[in-house]
Amino acid sequence: MSTKRIILAVLGLLTAPAMAQDAKLLAKANTLADKIEPQVIEWRRDYHQHPELGNREVKTAEKIAEHLKKLGLEVETGVAKTGVVGVLKGGKPGPVIALRADIDGLPVTERADVPFASKAKGVYNGQEVGVMHACGHDTHIAMLLGAAEVLTSMKADLKGTVKFVFQPAEEGPPAGEEGGAALMVKEGVLEKGPKPEVIFGLHINSQTEVGTLKYRPAGIMAAADVFTIKVKGKQVHGASPWNGVDPIVVSAQIINGLQTIISRQTELTENGAVITVGQIHGGVRNNIIPEEVVMEGTIRTLDKGMQQKIHDKIRLTATKIAESAGATAEVEIREAAALTYNDPALTERILPTLHATAGKDKVVLMNAMTGAEDFSYFQQKIPGLYLFVGGMKKGQDPATAPAHHTPDFYIDESGMKLGVKTLTNLTLNYMNSKK
């Protein structure tokens, strides 16, 4: 889409007297985004080659802070352990807008054949692991730095303030630690300094074609809860199980019972839901029935009412199955991420900007995902919008594209320019359309 068409479409919400000046700003922003693309790619490759795990993003944060300081922004470091916040005050009064990127890598050993592949190692839950940006957070950093560069160059004409939030530990903090968006909110990132009235975030997607934006009003990503079930029986020799209570058999029955909560007790025509047991531990020897088995899993829901019903059903199912066998079951459920909820009014308001930036045919209303995002904690405090930007090379079958959180994860870097433009255009449009 031509720059002229972008300008005309984005300005559809504006009054005539403001259009000439705002047209110049939008033209400048899009031109700068084009010019800065090589630098954005360079940043991305550096962060990709040197990933760090959640709450350990020390060097990552140092580089982010250094660049923001060079731009002349007010910079705060050490937010939620390793987070960085930069503030750009425009030359004219207006709203405060927050833009967010996550910065942590994953305990995944990279297998992708790229010259800047990660060779990094780290320690995760006491084990040495490979570390990789297997979810695209390196591109998120680069795109937000690109937006900061573009918007800073337009500082004198900005009608408001931009708060750049570089968030650590989106994938979850190490065991026993706080972290991520929840800790940022707890420490007052949305209250201290300029208080944003809205927040925008992007996530690149390896199975969405470059040039495409995906959005959804209301629930776009699931709430994620972690459950732990401890099944206690009576230890006995494996040759005489009738003398004890076998928690392994009871656990197997509980696992099967949990699946009927989804398949037989949850109205999936309303919203999707998932219960997955991901870990199970019990026993130390082939001929000893142990006293205890511990399993852990995840719950994904897209509706608060359904979330509570599933929690209640898990407790009922586990405890009653255990009781029927003479065992006991202790159930603990804790929140890992809230429902990622796009404010419907805000979504409707910015949709023309998305159409103008990517082209109407490239803006896709998506189905909700059962993946989770802790961006949701920002959205609990202020209206927020979370979008997906394409990172799969054009013409590729999404079924053959490596998925997120896998060793072969791959991003076509040409998709990042649209991310930079989307962040800058959303910011400018929101500022310019305020009365």
Side-chain angles (χ1 to χ4, degrees):
M1 177 174 281
S2 69
T3 298
K4 183 177 180 180
R5 288 176 64 196
I6 291 174
I7 295 167
L8 291 175
V10 172
L11 293 178
L13 297 178
L14 304 181
T15 59
M19 290 181 67
Q21 182 180 0
D22 293 331
K24 292 179 181 179
L25 290 177
L26 289 165
K28 182 178 180 180
N30 284 288
T31 299
L32 288 171
D34 288 333
K35 289 182 177 179
I36 203 175
E37 182 182 20
Q39 179 65 71
V40 172
I41 291 173
E42 183 179 328
W43 284 327
R44 183 261 168 159
R45 292 184 178 184
D46 180 37
Y47 289 112
H48 187 89
Q49 198 166 13
H50 304 99
E52 295 173 295
L53 295 172
N55 281 1
R56 305 292 184 269
E57 310 96 326
V58 176
K59 293 181 180 178
T60 300
E62 287 176 355
K63 286 186 280 189
I64 292 169
E66 181 182 5
H67 182 71
L68 296 180
K69 288 175 182 177
K70 285 181 180 177
L71 292 177
L73 274 60
E74 299 175 10
V75 178
E76 182 181 3
T77 59
V79 183
K81 300 187 184 295
T82 49
V84 181
V85 176
V87 175
L88 169 62
K89 294 181 179 178
K92 301 178 181 180
V96 181
I97 298 167
L99 303 176
R100 175 266 202 175
D102 37 15
I103 68 175
D104 54 322
L106 281 160
V108 176
T109 301
E110 182 156 17
R111 201 161 52 203
D113 185 18
V114 293
F116 50 90
S118 170
K119 306 296 182 185
K121 299 287 185 182
V123 176
Y124 182 74
N125 287 345
Q127 297 183 14
E128 185 178 71
V129 293
V131 184
M132 176 190 175
H133 273 297
C135 202
H137 296 184
D138 52 336
T139 70
H140 302 170
I141 300 169
M143 288 187 289
L144 189 53
L145 286 176
E149 187 100 3
V150 171
L151 292 169
T152 299
S153 70
M154 304 166 65
K155 176 179 179 179
D157 296 311
L158 285 185
K159 300 175 181 178
T161 297
V162 187
K163 200 166 190 176
F164 301 95
V165 179
F166 292 86
Q167 178 211 309
E170 187 280 325
E171 301 290 356
E177 297 183 21
E178 290 185 280
L183 184 56
M184 277 196 144
V185 170
K186 181 179 178 180
E187 292 185 357
V189 73
L190 299 178
E191 298 295 328
K192 296 177 182 177
K195 299 179 181 180
E197 62 181 60
V198 69
I199 186 166
F200 298 117
L202 294 177
H203 201 305
I204 205 151
N205 187 267
S206 67
Q207 295 170 310
T208 297
E209 189 172 83
V210 162
T212 303
L213 290 174
K214 289 186 173 181
Y215 78 101
R216 183 177 184 83
I220 188 170
M221 297 185 77
D225 300 304
V226 177
F227 68 86
T228 301
I229 302 175
K230 293 182 181 179
V231 180
K232 295 184 178 181
K234 181 181 178 182
Q235 186 163 321
V236 70
H237 197 294
S240 52
W242 50 85
N243 289 325
V245 177
D246 190 341
I248 292 179
V249 171
V250 174
S251 296
Q253 293 172 336
I254 289 174
I255 291 170
N256 286 333
L258 295 178
Q259 295 313 307
T260 66
I261 296 173
I262 299 299
S263 66
R264 290 295 179 270
Q265 302 174 58
T266 302
E267 193 168 351
L268 299 178
T269 56
E270 291 184 358
N271 273 306
V274 174
I275 300 174
T276 294
V277 176
Q279 296 183 61
I280 182 165
H281 304 281
V284 295
R285 185 178 169 86
N286 71 292
N287 62 348
I288 300 175
I289 292 174
E291 185 173 60
E292 182 178 276
V293 170
V294 178
M295 66 184 85
E296 189 170 76
T298 186
I299 308 160
R300 303 299 171 105
T301 49
L302 290 156
D303 174 82
K304 287 188 176 296
M306 185 181 290
Q307 180 185 38
Q308 187 57 54
K309 287 180 182 178
I310 289 176
H311 288 189
D312 293 342
K313 292 287 188 180
I314 288 174
R315 292 188 176 94
L316 181 67
T317 299
T319 56
K320 293 305 181 182
I321 287 176
E323 184 181 326
S324 71
T328 61
E330 299 174 1
V331 181
E332 176 190 352
I333 301 174
R334 58 192 184 277
E335 183 179 82
L339 174 68
T340 306
Y341 186 86
N342 285 334
D343 182 86
L346 178 62
T347 306
E348 182 179 1
R349 175 177 174 178
I350 59 81
L351 193 54
T353 305
L354 303 184
H355 289 161
T357 305
K360 194 169 185 178
D361 61 328
K362 294 294 185 181
V363 179
V364 179
L365 176 64
M366 62 180 283
N367 293 328
M369 296 176 62
T370 50
E373 239 294 344
D374 72 355
F375 184 81
S376 53
Y377 292 110
F378 300 122
Q379 293 174 310
Q380 288 182 336
K381 300 296 182 180
I382 58 175
L385 183 75
Y386 198 69
L387 305 168
F388 287 88
V389 60
M392 181 185 73
K393 66 182 180 180
K394 290 189 175 182
Q396 183 170 1
D397 179 358
T400 68
H404 292 241
H405 290 219
T406 66
D408 300 304
F409 177 75
Y410 176 83
I411 289 296
D412 184 331
E413 295 171 326
S414 67
M416 292 191 292
K417 182 168 66 173
L418 177 59
V420 175
K421 289 185 176 183
T422 301
L423 290 170
T424 56
N425 286 348
L426 285 173
T427 301
L428 291 171
N429 177 254
Y430 191 89
M431 287 180 172
N432 294 339
S433 62
K434 290 289 285 187
K435 301 299 183 183

